[in-house]
Amino acid sequence: MADDLKTREPTVQPELHRDQPLARVQALPWLIVIVLLAAVAWLGWRAFFYEEEGDPVGSAMLAFEKQNSLTVFSSRFEVVAESVDRRGVLNLDLLESRQAAIIPATVEYRLDLSSMDRDRFEWNPETETLSVELRTLRISRPNLDEAAQKTFTEGTYVSRDASADLARNNSQQAERKAAEFAKNPEVLTLARQAAKEAVRQNLAIPMQVAGYGDVKVEVRFDGEQIPDR
């Protein structure tokens, strides 16, 4: 029976190892880094730049909030002022001097964008038109360029005190005249037109960036008639 037994030699099968390419092993850490950077970039964009879709009014208000105040027009002109100074003894005007001054003045017209709430915006999705109603323009205090003024003085004798009084009176007078000129209807019309154009430009580009395309922006001031559509 022992002869019937066949002796089997043990067979050893070699273990198969599948070597990974070296390039793939080295690229794995970089792939993880790229994914992490992309995630951080997306979270940052979501937190600081993302706007909910379908809210063009919110995008327009955000553009205004970033500016707060907008100078839309500046007017530079010259005003003429004239003053007379009389000085004497015992109520007798013995000395009289006169001074005329031509003083350059600058006035700025500004829009207060911080007070623009949602009620002042209207979005028409059918015509892709954004309507904006602005508050009244704010007119700055006239800035007198007294260093560039031209003066003409008359009088036999003009004392230092008289010269100072004449100059002070002319400055006050020039400021009043400049403030009145700034409210001239023709100048205000130019300032309003400049304001409307500035608002259109300041809203059209942010709306395009926000993904709303070539939006039409209609601008008017309080009390103005709504444009026909």
Side-chain angles (χ1 to χ4, degrees):
M1 186 175 179
D3 295 337
D4 295 336
L5 295 177
K6 295 181 180 180
T7 304
R8 294 183 178 179
E9 296 181 359
T11 58
V12 179
Q13 296 181 353
E15 295 183 4
L16 299 178
H17 295 278
R18 189 174 182 180
D19 295 335
Q20 295 182 352
L22 181 60
R24 182 179 300 177
V25 175
Q26 293 178 344
L28 183 60
W30 286 107
L31 181 61
I32 296 176
V33 172
I34 292 173
V35 172
L36 290 176
L37 289 176
V40 172
W42 183 85
L43 291 175
W45 171 80
R46 180 85 182 183
F48 297 102
F49 300 102
Y50 175 75
E51 291 291 329
E52 292 291 339
E53 294 183 359
D55 187 16
V57 172
S59 299
M61 292 180 64
L62 180 62
F64 273 7
E65 289 174 359
K66 292 180 178 179
Q67 298 186 66
N68 193 36
S69 179
L70 182 63
T71 300
V72 296
F73 190 72
S74 179
S75 178
R76 183 176 175 85
F77 48 89
E78 293 181 336
V79 290
V80 179
E82 185 176 357
S83 300
V84 178
D85 182 83
R86 296 182 178 88
R87 297 176 184 267
V89 180
L90 299 176
N91 296 325
L92 297 176
D93 295 333
L94 301 179
L95 296 176
E96 180 178 297
S97 56
R98 184 186 306 270
Q99 186 181 85
I102 303 175
I103 307 177
T106 303
V107 177
E108 292 183 342
Y109 299 80
R110 302 188 182 98
L111 283 173
D112 181 13
L113 302 180
S114 62
S115 61
M116 295 288 292
D117 52 24
R118 183 173 287 269
D119 294 337
R120 291 187 169 271
F121 298 86
E122 181 182 353
W123 171 249
N124 188 333
E126 297 180 357
T127 60
E128 295 185 344
T129 300
L130 178 68
S131 299
V132 184
E133 186 177 8
L134 301 175
R135 296 185 182 276
T136 304
L137 282 173
R138 291 186 175 182
I139 306 176
S140 69
R141 180 178 178 179
N143 181 20
L144 302 180
D145 187 3
E146 295 180 300
Q149 70 176 326
K150 300 176 182 178
T151 58
F152 307 90
T153 305
E154 294 180 353
T156 305
Y157 173 74
V158 182
S159 65
R160 180 179 300 177
D161 292 340
S163 178
D165 288 344
L166 289 170
R168 181 171 57 254
N169 291 336
N170 281 342
S171 295
Q172 295 173 354
Q173 187 181 148
E175 185 173 343
R176 289 194 302 268
K177 289 185 175 181
E180 293 175 359
F181 181 82
K183 299 177 182 179
N184 184 292
E186 295 181 359
V187 180
L188 282 175
T189 299
L190 294 175
R192 290 193 182 100
Q193 292 175 351
K196 293 178 181 179
E197 185 60 29
V199 170
R200 291 190 190 99
Q201 294 179 359
N202 278 268
L203 287 181
I205 296 178
M207 296 293 284
Q208 290 179 358
V209 173
Y212 298 105
D214 189 11
V215 174
K216 180 180 179 182
V217 181
E218 293 181 349
V219 185
R220 70 181 187 276
F221 282 90
D222 284 336
E224 290 186 345
Q225 186 177 1
I226 299 176
D228 294 333
R229 298 175 184 175

